[in-house]
Amino acid sequence: MPPTATPKENVQFPRFLLLYGSATGQAQAIAEEIAEKAPAFGLSPHLLCLEMTGKRFNIEDEKCIVVITSTTGDGDPPGNAEKFVRRLKKRTLGSDYLAHLHYALLGLGDQNYSNFCRCGKDMDARFLELGAKQFYPTGFADDGVGLEVVAEPWLEGLYPALQKFLGVNSLTLLTEQVEALSIVPSESGDANPAQNKLNSGKIFQTEAVSTNNNSLSTNNNSVDHSNEVKNHEVIISNSFESSPTKIDFTDDRKAAVISDLSSLKQQKEFFDSARTLETPCRLLDISTEDYNLSPLFFSDNNLLEKSLTVPVYPPDFLKAEFSANNVKLQELSHQNDLKLPCAASSVLRVKVTDSRVLTHPDALKKSLLVSLDLKECDMDYRPGDSISVICYNSCSEVDMLLDRLGVSDSADLCMTLTVIPDTKKRRASVPAHITPVTTLRHALTTACNIRETPTKALIRVLLEYTSQPKEIRRMQELCSKEGAQIYTSVVREKRVSLLDFLFAFPSCRPPLERILEHLPRLQPRPYSACSCSQVDKDRLDFVFNVVDLPGRVQEARYFHRRGVCTGWLDDITNGIQAGESEQPIIEIPIFLRTNQHFRPPSDLSQPLIMIGPGTGVAPFIGFLRERQYYRQQMTQDEGYGETWLVYGCRHSKRDFLFKEELQQFESDETLSCLCVALSREEPLEDDKALHCRYVQDYLRRLSSDVAQLLCDKDALVYVCGDATGMAKEVSQAFEYILKQEKGLSDEDANMFIMKKRIHKTYLEDVWT
Ligand code: NAP
């Protein structure tokens, strides 16, 4: 086990309160990382969730706090931060209410969404308004480009800032230092994985002298001052001989003794029906593919000669033990009963009644409409609402991972997870999403996101179990500070999965516990309802594109894969799509998601512009069905507001979703205007001048009418679809129109849209 920084027992470090508000667990993970590392800097964090406000902490009583908070939904605080934010916003609080408080804050968000880091920004502004002072500048990390771009330097600076503020003047603890290393391959070409796989020369444990009250006694063990000492990093320099890559996936892990074969058979059978329905993942054939073409594989010339700064090895904390005990998989709760994100209902198993392909076989993407029967369950939903589908990883992908980790023989045995008794990790626990007594296959199939892109911390762990020097060096590059950009372009942007990574580094053979420690939770997948409960209360339809990604070494994808949920839904409903008469009953677990604003207006006279290219049109089909339903009940005197839909697809004959129904809405005047942008269809000669490629082009083309609707009729604007490009460009198009048609300045046009957002008359339901 690698050495880790260990604080001396019984030492009182200066305390600070460390708070997090987290929707998906990222903010919590960062807060936990701070809690883990802070003692090595002579600091004592008290880690709490913001929802403990009033129960376990009061910021009124605190002198120093660090807050990590994400933002969710339409710029809302995460559920577990709501109470804290509500209390903070109380109008009765005076401007010196928090005058005693010093804080550091890291907001997490995604620039692709309009309310980037809203919760963090609001909290920061309110702290200052109430007289609190920053002891360290606030950071806003963008998940769109990678949280680490801002979070890593922010965290790096946080510890010295805390030390300065709390009066900890120097290192007080053991640190890890590795002298400049030279990786010398053994005759077989491998470094010795059983020892220090970095072949990293001496490891010095140094205990520096502290000058403040918390000082430990001076004790200087073999400090080599020629080596740079950093208190939370290992500095590695490069120099190694390359040696031929050898692929060896053999399993040296011995399965537990199996005394009860019937139990093992039962566990295997549990997944059999899923296995028979699925399209298996296919590994690229090594005999025909050149794995060396993978961008994961090549060391970067610019980094070859450089010393690298890599993260300290995160402490091991999980232990898996296997036995022949029977595990009743049917009785296991989903993900250990961990709270589901954004759930507005309990989990319901609902029957799939229909599954229809909406696109032509020549379309670029296959869109599927799935209908669910809500008769037996109590779920009230409205247009604009969405559901989450609880999905599972593909059996064949799990098989590949088990095989690659060399643990296939243990996969269906009873696995008991416990915390290593003498782990150096603070507050170590079995990951909350994994049931402590389960089978490995069950955990990897139902609880862990095995597609997750390896984090730098995981890469740091993996390199410890890698024997081939060239691979070690490349992994060092990928997790190093100096290789940050390479990590982004080669690992993150390519969405490399753990399996891709392991295939790229064949001499890496990590124990499965290290993997389970780092794999995050498999999240349910959200889809907008496109049906209308007023028209048919027992039915809920949703639509999605089936994601299909062929393996391609040059893209660092070593196997063919489909979307975890979309591929699974496509597979299990294949028989229905083919119109087979003998169909087994198919049920899927779903729950309703919270939705505060994205709903059609109850006042039918209110004009609205809906913009939804691709499957982004889904909620608007529900809106229009509802409007049509209520409109039919209107008396003639009542006004019906102008109703626009700006839709976009590639070809009118291939992927125009809900074409007939939309044309019907237009002809019965439920829609006053249906605009369809066709991004890849050559217009006829006569239509060239009017052709619009994208929805935003259509808005611009009709700018005078749009400006009138926006400014004179106070139309509601709804945008649904892709957050990365479309939503931003639509917003820019509106600003352009306001400038063109109403003569507004850049600033005023921007403010106009901003105000509409604040008043919830410009609403977005956009996803990356
Ligand atoms: P898509 O098929 O990829 O694209 C639909 C149309 O949008 C195509 O014509 C495409 O043109 C065009 N387009 C591409 N880039 C654009 C841009 N920057 N601005 C405007 N139009 C652009 O769409 P999709 O796969 O259905 O994706 C829709 C998005 O909606 C996804 O992000 C999805 O997650 C989200 N969403 C889905 C649901 C749901 O319930 N399934 C609900 C809400 C939102 P070209 O490709 O020819 O450039």
Side-chain angles (χ1 to χ4, degrees), residues 455-503:
T455 56
K456 290 183 191 173
L458 176 55
I459 297 175
R460 174 65 185 89
V461 170
L462 294 178
L463 77 83
E464 207 67 30
Y465 297 95
T466 305
S467 54
Q468 223 276 349
K470 196 171 171 183
E471 293 176 20
I472 294 174
R473 177 62 188 181
R474 181 56 170 162
M475 286 158 101
Q476 287 167 351
E477 285 175 10
L478 292 174
C479 69
S480 69
K481 199 191 254 180
E482 294 76 8
Q485 276 187 344
I486 302 171
Y487 171 82
T488 302
S489 62
V490 168
V491 182
R492 197 185 145 82
E493 285 176 4
K494 298 226 176 296
R495 299 189 176 197
V496 164
S497 74
L498 170 66
L499 251 177
D500 292 316
F501 200 87
L502 291 173
F503 285 133

Side-chain angles (χ1 to χ4, degrees), residues 18 29-31 33-34 37 41 66 68 106 136 147-148 150-162 232:
L18 174 56
I30 293 177
E33 185 190 325
I34 298 171
K37 289 184 175 165
F41 293 85
V66 174
I68 316 293
L106 178 67
Y136 180 57
L147 289 176
E148 69 275 5
V150 166
E152 275 181 10
W154 190 87
L155 289 169
E156 201 172 310
L158 174 70
Y159 304 106
L162 275 163
H232 69 304

Side-chain angles (χ1 to χ4, degrees), residues 262-282:
S262 68
S263 144
L264 188 63
K265 193 162 162 277
Q266 258 177 36
Q267 315 302 346
K268 279 190 167 148
E269 280 170 2
F270 184 79
F271 293 99
D272 277 355
S273 57
R275 197 182 292 281
T276 51
L277 288 174
E278 83 175 27
T279 311
C281 293
R282 289 187 310 276

Side-chain angles (χ1 to χ4, degrees), residues 617-719:
V617 75
F620 304 134
I621 300 298
F623 278 37
L624 289 166
R625 286 179 188 170
E626 185 180 274
R627 275 176 91 78
Q628 185 185 50
Y629 174 82
Y630 285 126
R631 186 162 179 259
Q632 283 160 356
Q633 296 166 15
M634 281 171 76
T635 61
Q636 285 209 326
D637 295 330
E638 290 162 304
Y640 180 76
E642 271 188 67
T643 307
W644 283 41
L645 175 70
V646 188
Y647 173 68
C649 61
R650 296 184 180 88
H651 294 273
S652 56
K653 293 198 171 71
R654 294 186 199 166
D655 60 347
F656 188 164
L657 307 180
F658 303 101
K659 186 174 183 177
E660 286 76 29
E661 189 168 0
L662 287 173
Q663 288 171 342
Q664 180 58 39
F665 285 136
E666 196 182 23
S667 58
D668 73 11
E669 293 177 6
T670 304
L671 265 179
S672 14
C673 178
L674 171 64
C675 312
V676 183
L678 297 168
S679 61
R680 302 200 192 177
E681 192 163 298
E682 262 310 298
L684 297 173
E685 203 51 46
D686 290 352
D687 295 339
K688 270 200 170 138
L690 299 177
H691 179 76
C692 296
R693 184 173 170 218
Y694 286 155
V695 285
Q696 55 273 32
D697 303 330
Y698 229 119
L699 291 171
R700 283 198 175 92
R701 197 186 111 197
L702 301 177
S703 62
S704 133
D705 296 326
V706 171
Q708 206 185 17
L709 269 170
L710 221 52
C711 300
D712 308 334
K713 299 183 180 167
D714 199 19
L716 294 168
V717 177
Y718 295 88
V719 184

